[in-house]
Amino acid sequence: QVQLVESGGGLVQPGGSLRLSCAVSGFTCSPYLMSWYRQAPGKEREWAASITGPDGDITYADSVKGRFTISRDNVKNTVYLQINSLKPEDTAVYYCRRVCVGDPAKYWGQGTQVTVSS
């Protein structure tokens, strides 16, 4: 059974940092694209960052460049999102998504809540 499980969210003060994790289990594929999205209250889900496998090519949305860092641990089948200098507008549910090249299916996690507030 395909499963993506996010963790690491929480309540953090402005200027703080968080590292989100997305653990993938139940399948392997290559090449693939792992991405982080976020959805703020009342807004549409927006893409934040992606990393390809196996090459490890990384791209970021302009809105998060310089503060977000996506990385992966192939042994643990986990993708991370380091978020620094958090702002109240970063408050959102953060989701990870995996797409296997050649497979139309898109696999999503359940999301992890990030709240930035003083």
Side-chain angles (χ1 to χ4, degrees), residues 18-76:
L18 280 176
R19 189 177 81 155
L20 309 182
S21 301
C22 173
V24 181
S25 63
F27 74 121
T28 59
C29 66
S30 185
Y32 64 83
L33 181 70
M34 284 293 302
S35 302
W36 284 97
Y37 285 73
R38 63 181 181 177
Q39 188 165 17
K43 295 188 177 180
E44 297 205 347
R45 193 171 298 187
E46 65 169 353
W47 168 72
S50 293
I51 185 167
T52 66
D55 295 342
D57 295 330
I58 290 173
T59 52
Y60 296 101
D62 288 343
S63 59
V64 307
K65 278 181 185 175
R67 297 192 301 118
F68 286 28
T69 303
I70 189 171
S71 62
R72 65 181 180 183
D73 184 327
N74 291 329
V75 174
K76 294 182 179 179

Side-chain angles (χ1 to χ4, degrees), residues 20 26 60 100 106-107:
L20 309 182
Y60 296 101
C100 300
K106 298 176 178 62
Y107 302 97

